[in-house]
mmCIF file of all heavy atoms in Angstrom:
data_model
loop_
_atom_site.group_PDB
_atom_site.id
_atom_site.type_symbol
_atom_site.label_atom_id
_atom_site.label_comp_id
_atom_site.label_asym_id
_atom_site.label_seq_id
_atom_site.Cartn_x
_atom_site.Cartn_y
_atom_site.Cartn_z
ATOM 1 N N HIS A 1392 113.773 93.455 96.714
ATOM 2 C CA HIS A 1392 114.400 92.353 95.977
ATOM 3 C C HIS A 1392 115.462 92.763 94.966
ATOM 4 O O HIS A 1392 116.383 91.997 94.705
ATOM 5 C CB HIS A 1392 113.321 91.537 95.252
ATOM 6 C CG HIS A 1392 112.329 90.927 96.191
ATOM 7 N ND1 HIS A 1392 112.641 89.865 97.010
ATOM 8 C CD2 HIS A 1392 111.042 91.242 96.464
ATOM 9 C CE1 HIS A 1392 111.586 89.548 97.730
ATOM 10 N NE2 HIS A 1392 110.596 90.373 97.424
ATOM 11 N N LYS A 1393 115.334 93.945 94.391
ATOM 12 C CA LYS A 1393 116.273 94.405 93.359
ATOM 13 C C LYS A 1393 116.585 95.892 93.559
ATOM 14 O O LYS A 1393 116.262 96.737 92.715
ATOM 15 C CB LYS A 1393 115.685 94.213 91.954
ATOM 16 C CG LYS A 1393 115.370 92.800 91.575
ATOM 17 C CD LYS A 1393 116.618 92.108 91.107
ATOM 18 C CE LYS A 1393 116.241 90.729 90.561
ATOM 19 N NZ LYS A 1393 117.392 90.004 90.134
ATOM 20 N N PRO A 1394 117.214 96.254 94.680
ATOM 21 C CA PRO A 1394 117.428 97.675 94.971
ATOM 22 C C PRO A 1394 118.301 98.398 93.935
ATOM 23 O O PRO A 1394 118.095 99.581 93.679
ATOM 24 C CB PRO A 1394 118.091 97.666 96.348
ATOM 25 C CG PRO A 1394 118.588 96.280 96.553
ATOM 26 C CD PRO A 1394 117.728 95.385 95.728
ATOM 27 N N GLU A 1395 119.252 97.679 93.321
ATOM 28 C CA GLU A 1395 120.111 98.326 92.328
ATOM 29 C C GLU A 1395 119.282 98.737 91.102
ATOM 30 O O GLU A 1395 119.473 99.819 90.547
ATOM 31 C CB GLU A 1395 121.242 97.394 91.868
ATOM 32 C CG GLU A 1395 122.047 96.799 92.995
ATOM 33 C CD GLU A 1395 121.431 95.524 93.564
ATOM 34 O OE1 GLU A 1395 120.624 94.852 92.880
ATOM 35 O OE2 GLU A 1395 121.749 95.196 94.716
ATOM 36 N N LEU A 1396 118.397 97.864 90.682
ATOM 37 C CA LEU A 1396 117.536 98.159 89.545
ATOM 38 C C LEU A 1396 116.655 99.372 89.838
ATOM 39 O O LEU A 1396 116.505 100.267 89.007
ATOM 40 C CB LEU A 1396 116.677 96.941 89.192
ATOM 41 C CG LEU A 1396 115.667 97.120 88.068
ATOM 42 C CD1 LEU A 1396 116.360 97.508 86.766
ATOM 43 C CD2 LEU A 1396 114.858 95.850 87.881
ATOM 44 N N LEU A 1397 116.098 99.412 91.042
ATOM 45 C CA LEU A 1397 115.253 100.546 91.417
ATOM 46 C C LEU A 1397 116.045 101.845 91.369
ATOM 47 O O LEU A 1397 115.566 102.852 90.862
ATOM 48 C CB LEU A 1397 114.638 100.338 92.800
ATOM 49 C CG LEU A 1397 113.756 101.470 93.314
ATOM 50 C CD1 LEU A 1397 112.566 101.708 92.391
ATOM 51 C CD2 LEU A 1397 113.285 101.185 94.724
ATOM 52 N N GLU A 1398 117.262 101.829 91.885
ATOM 53 C CA GLU A 1398 118.081 103.042 91.862
ATOM 54 C C GLU A 1398 118.331 103.510 90.438
ATOM 55 O O GLU A 1398 118.265 104.702 90.151
ATOM 56 C CB GLU A 1398 119.406 102.810 92.587
ATOM 57 C CG GLU A 1398 119.271 103.020 94.064
ATOM 58 C CD GLU A 1398 120.597 103.336 94.719
ATOM 59 O OE1 GLU A 1398 121.436 104.026 94.115
ATOM 60 O OE2 GLU A 1398 120.769 102.887 95.849
ATOM 61 N N ASN A 1399 118.623 102.555 89.541
ATOM 62 C CA ASN A 1399 118.843 102.920 88.145
ATOM 63 C C ASN A 1399 117.596 103.546 87.532
ATOM 64 O O ASN A 1399 117.687 104.523 86.797
ATOM 65 C CB ASN A 1399 119.275 101.698 87.325
ATOM 66 C CG ASN A 1399 120.680 101.263 87.656
ATOM 67 O OD1 ASN A 1399 121.480 102.042 88.145
ATOM 68 N ND2 ASN A 1399 120.983 100.011 87.389
ATOM 69 N N ILE A 1400 116.454 102.986 87.838
ATOM 70 C CA ILE A 1400 115.202 103.535 87.312
ATOM 71 C C ILE A 1400 114.954 104.937 87.866
ATOM 72 O O ILE A 1400 114.576 105.850 87.138
ATOM 73 C CB ILE A 1400 114.010 102.609 87.643
ATOM 74 C CG1 ILE A 1400 114.163 101.273 86.914
ATOM 75 C CG2 ILE A 1400 112.691 103.275 87.282
ATOM 76 C CD1 ILE A 1400 113.183 100.209 87.369
ATOM 77 N N LEU A 1401 115.187 105.109 89.158
ATOM 78 C CA LEU A 1401 114.908 106.401 89.790
ATOM 79 C C LEU A 1401 115.917 107.477 89.403
ATOM 80 O O LEU A 1401 115.664 108.663 89.625
ATOM 81 C CB LEU A 1401 114.842 106.246 91.310
ATOM 82 C CG LEU A 1401 113.674 105.421 91.826
ATOM 83 C CD1 LEU A 1401 113.726 105.318 93.347
ATOM 84 C CD2 LEU A 1401 112.344 105.999 91.369
ATOM 85 N N ASN A 1402 117.043 107.085 88.831
ATOM 86 C CA ASN A 1402 118.022 108.072 88.372
ATOM 87 C C ASN A 1402 117.622 108.719 87.051
ATOM 88 O O ASN A 1402 118.309 109.611 86.574
ATOM 89 C CB ASN A 1402 119.414 107.437 88.240
ATOM 90 C CG ASN A 1402 120.064 107.250 89.591
ATOM 91 O OD1 ASN A 1402 119.767 107.956 90.543
ATOM 92 N ND2 ASN A 1402 120.956 106.285 89.687
ATOM 93 N N THR A 1403 116.523 108.287 86.489
ATOM 94 C CA THR A 1403 116.039 108.914 85.263
ATOM 95 C C THR A 1403 115.495 110.299 85.582
ATOM 96 O O THR A 1403 115.120 110.593 86.718
ATOM 97 C CB THR A 1403 114.922 108.080 84.597
ATOM 98 O OG1 THR A 1403 113.793 108.030 85.482
ATOM 99 C CG2 THR A 1403 115.384 106.673 84.279
ATOM 100 N N THR A 1404 115.454 111.114 84.590
ATOM 101 C CA THR A 1404 114.970 112.484 84.802
ATOM 102 C C THR A 1404 113.474 112.606 84.565
ATOM 103 O O THR A 1404 112.898 113.657 84.830
ATOM 104 C CB THR A 1404 115.710 113.470 83.876
ATOM 105 O OG1 THR A 1404 115.550 113.036 82.527
ATOM 106 C CG2 THR A 1404 117.177 113.545 84.241
ATOM 107 N N SER A 1405 112.862 111.541 84.070
ATOM 108 C CA SER A 1405 111.423 111.625 83.814
ATOM 109 C C SER A 1405 110.650 111.649 85.126
ATOM 110 O O SER A 1405 111.098 111.129 86.145
ATOM 111 C CB SER A 1405 110.953 110.458 82.943
ATOM 112 O OG SER A 1405 111.138 109.246 83.626
ATOM 113 N N SER A 1406 109.501 112.265 85.059
ATOM 114 C CA SER A 1406 108.662 112.362 86.246
ATOM 115 C C SER A 1406 107.205 112.175 85.834
ATOM 116 O O SER A 1406 106.708 112.883 84.964
ATOM 117 C CB SER A 1406 108.854 113.720 86.908
ATOM 118 O OG SER A 1406 108.056 113.807 88.064
ATOM 119 N N ASN A 1407 106.573 111.196 86.440
ATOM 120 C CA ASN A 1407 105.148 110.958 86.206
ATOM 121 C C ASN A 1407 104.586 110.241 87.426
ATOM 122 O O ASN A 1407 105.302 110.015 88.410
ATOM 123 C CB ASN A 1407 104.937 110.163 84.900
ATOM 124 C CG ASN A 1407 105.681 108.847 84.903
ATOM 125 O OD1 ASN A 1407 105.674 108.130 85.901
ATOM 126 N ND2 ASN A 1407 106.335 108.513 83.799
ATOM 127 N N ASP A 1408 103.326 109.899 87.377
ATOM 128 C CA ASP A 1408 102.688 109.262 88.533
ATOM 129 C C ASP A 1408 103.364 107.942 88.900
ATOM 130 O O ASP A 1408 103.523 107.619 90.076
ATOM 131 C CB ASP A 1408 101.206 109.013 88.261
ATOM 132 C CG ASP A 1408 100.388 110.294 88.253
ATOM 133 O OD1 ASP A 1408 100.897 111.321 88.740
ATOM 134 O OD2 ASP A 1408 99.250 110.256 87.754
ATOM 135 N N TYR A 1409 103.759 107.174 87.890
ATOM 136 C CA TYR A 1409 104.403 105.883 88.149
ATOM 137 C C TYR A 1409 105.734 106.080 88.877
ATOM 138 O O TYR A 1409 106.000 105.406 89.874
ATOM 139 C CB TYR A 1409 104.615 105.127 86.835
ATOM 140 C CG TYR A 1409 105.228 103.760 87.045
ATOM 141 C CD1 TYR A 1409 104.449 102.689 87.485
ATOM 142 C CD2 TYR A 1409 106.569 103.540 86.812
ATOM 143 C CE1 TYR A 1409 105.002 101.434 87.695
ATOM 144 C CE2 TYR A 1409 107.130 102.292 87.012
ATOM 145 C CZ TYR A 1409 106.344 101.241 87.452
ATOM 146 O OH TYR A 1409 106.895 99.995 87.661
ATOM 147 N N ILE A 1410 106.563 107.015 88.400
ATOM 148 C CA ILE A 1410 107.861 107.284 89.034
ATOM 149 C C ILE A 1410 107.657 107.788 90.460
ATOM 150 O O ILE A 1410 108.371 107.384 91.382
ATOM 151 C CB ILE A 1410 108.688 108.298 88.203
ATOM 152 C CG1 ILE A 1410 108.994 107.739 86.814
ATOM 153 C CG2 ILE A 1410 109.961 108.702 88.926
ATOM 154 C CD1 ILE A 1410 109.920 106.541 86.793
ATOM 155 N N GLN A 1411 106.690 108.667 90.662
ATOM 156 C CA GLN A 1411 106.407 109.158 92.018
ATOM 157 C C GLN A 1411 105.975 107.997 92.918
ATOM 158 O O GLN A 1411 106.369 107.915 94.080
ATOM 159 C CB GLN A 1411 105.335 110.249 91.995
ATOM 160 C CG GLN A 1411 105.124 110.895 93.348
ATOM 161 C CD GLN A 1411 106.395 111.531 93.893
ATOM 162 O OE1 GLN A 1411 107.048 112.301 93.198
ATOM 163 N NE2 GLN A 1411 106.741 111.215 95.130
ATOM 164 N N GLY A 1412 105.176 107.087 92.378
ATOM 165 C CA GLY A 1412 104.789 105.898 93.134
ATOM 166 C C GLY A 1412 105.984 105.042 93.489
ATOM 167 O O GLY A 1412 106.081 104.522 94.603
ATOM 168 N N LEU A 1413 106.926 104.879 92.550
ATOM 169 C CA LEU A 1413 108.155 104.122 92.836
ATOM 170 C C LEU A 1413 108.910 104.741 94.011
ATOM 171 O O LEU A 1413 109.356 104.036 94.922
ATOM 172 C CB LEU A 1413 109.071 104.098 91.606
ATOM 173 C CG LEU A 1413 108.731 103.170 90.458
ATOM 174 C CD1 LEU A 1413 109.677 103.419 89.288
ATOM 175 C CD2 LEU A 1413 108.794 101.716 90.879
ATOM 176 N N LYS A 1414 109.058 106.060 93.967
ATOM 177 C CA LYS A 1414 109.777 106.767 95.040
ATOM 178 C C LYS A 1414 109.082 106.579 96.385
ATOM 179 O O LYS A 1414 109.720 106.316 97.400
ATOM 180 C CB LYS A 1414 109.888 108.256 94.717
ATOM 181 C CG LYS A 1414 110.799 108.547 93.554
ATOM 182 C CD LYS A 1414 110.788 110.033 93.222
ATOM 183 C CE LYS A 1414 111.673 110.325 92.020
ATOM 184 N NZ LYS A 1414 111.636 111.741 91.630
ATOM 185 N N ASP A 1415 107.774 106.718 96.382
ATOM 186 C CA ASP A 1415 107.023 106.576 97.637
ATOM 187 C C ASP A 1415 107.034 105.128 98.129
ATOM 188 O O ASP A 1415 107.090 104.889 99.335
ATOM 189 C CB ASP A 1415 105.587 107.074 97.460
ATOM 190 C CG ASP A 1415 105.525 108.582 97.259
ATOM 191 O OD1 ASP A 1415 106.536 109.281 97.521
ATOM 192 O OD2 ASP A 1415 104.459 109.074 96.837
ATOM 193 N N GLY A 1416 106.984 104.171 97.211
ATOM 194 C CA GLY A 1416 107.072 102.762 97.599
ATOM 195 C C GLY A 1416 108.420 102.440 98.212
ATOM 196 O O GLY A 1416 108.520 101.707 99.193
ATOM 197 N N GLU A 1417 109.478 103.014 97.650
ATOM 198 C CA GLU A 1417 110.821 102.829 98.208
ATOM 199 C C GLU A 1417 110.887 103.406 99.623
ATOM 200 O O GLU A 1417 111.396 102.774 100.551
ATOM 201 C CB GLU A 1417 111.853 103.527 97.319
ATOM 202 C CG GLU A 1417 113.258 103.469 97.886
ATOM 203 C CD GLU A 1417 114.245 104.324 97.135
ATOM 204 O OE1 GLU A 1417 113.860 105.429 96.668
ATOM 205 O OE2 GLU A 1417 115.396 103.895 97.023
ATOM 206 N N ARG A 1418 110.336 104.606 99.792
ATOM 207 C CA ARG A 1418 110.340 105.260 101.105
ATOM 208 C C ARG A 1418 109.557 104.431 102.128
ATOM 209 O O ARG A 1418 109.982 104.259 103.270
ATOM 210 C CB ARG A 1418 109.753 106.671 100.994
ATOM 211 C CG ARG A 1418 109.872 107.455 102.284
ATOM 212 C CD ARG A 1418 109.362 108.881 102.189
ATOM 213 N NE ARG A 1418 109.647 109.544 100.934
ATOM 214 C CZ ARG A 1418 108.703 109.927 100.068
ATOM 215 N NH1 ARG A 1418 107.432 109.720 100.315
ATOM 216 N NH2 ARG A 1418 109.036 110.544 98.950
ATOM 217 N N GLU A 1419 108.422 103.889 101.705
ATOM 218 C CA GLU A 1419 107.609 103.061 102.602
ATOM 219 C C GLU A 1419 108.370 101.812 103.035
ATOM 220 O O GLU A 1419 108.336 101.419 104.196
ATOM 221 C CB GLU A 1419 106.302 102.666 101.917
ATOM 222 C CG GLU A 1419 105.411 101.781 102.749
ATOM 223 C CD GLU A 1419 104.849 102.457 103.983
ATOM 224 O OE1 GLU A 1419 104.798 103.697 104.030
ATOM 225 O OE2 GLU A 1419 104.441 101.734 104.913
ATOM 226 N N PHE A 1420 109.082 101.192 102.098
ATOM 227 C CA PHE A 1420 109.871 100.005 102.442
ATOM 228 C C PHE A 1420 110.917 100.351 103.495
ATOM 229 O O PHE A 1420 111.085 99.625 104.478
ATOM 230 C CB PHE A 1420 110.553 99.415 101.199
ATOM 231 C CG PHE A 1420 111.419 98.231 101.522
ATOM 232 C CD1 PHE A 1420 110.856 96.972 101.666
ATOM 233 C CD2 PHE A 1420 112.780 98.369 101.707
ATOM 234 C CE1 PHE A 1420 111.641 95.868 101.995
ATOM 235 C CE2 PHE A 1420 113.570 97.286 102.033
ATOM 236 C CZ PHE A 1420 112.997 96.032 102.171
ATOM 237 N N LYS A 1421 111.612 101.474 103.298
ATOM 238 C CA LYS A 1421 112.630 101.897 104.267
ATOM 239 C C LYS A 1421 112.010 102.125 105.645
ATOM 240 O O LYS A 1421 112.573 101.724 106.661
ATOM 241 C CB LYS A 1421 113.321 103.177 103.790
ATOM 242 C CG LYS A 1421 114.229 102.972 102.598
ATOM 243 C CD LYS A 1421 114.809 104.315 102.172
ATOM 244 C CE LYS A 1421 115.690 104.212 100.962
ATOM 245 N NZ LYS A 1421 116.208 105.527 100.536
ATOM 246 N N GLN A 1422 110.851 102.780 105.671
ATOM 247 C CA GLN A 1422 110.190 103.059 106.958
ATOM 248 C C GLN A 1422 109.767 101.767 107.652
ATOM 249 O O GLN A 1422 109.921 101.629 108.868
ATOM 250 C CB GLN A 1422 108.987 103.974 106.753
ATOM 251 C CG GLN A 1422 109.364 105.384 106.377
ATOM 252 C CD GLN A 1422 108.169 106.243 106.028
ATOM 253 O OE1 GLN A 1422 107.065 105.756 105.789
ATOM 254 N NE2 GLN A 1422 108.385 107.551 105.952
#
Side-chain angles (χ1 to χ4, degrees):
H1392 299 288
K1393 299 278 187 182
E1395 308 86 22
L1396 177 60
L1397 179 60
E1398 275 203 36
N1399 288 337
I1400 295 169
L1401 293 179
N1402 284 334
T1403 64
T1404 56
S1405 64
S1406 181
N1407 57 44
D1408 288 344
Y1409 182 78
I1410 298 293
Q1411 187 59 51
L1413 283 174
K1414 291 176 182 177
D1415 292 346
E1417 176 189 36
R1418 186 177 322 115
E1419 178 67 21
F1420 178 82
K1421 289 177 182 178
Q1422 290 174 345

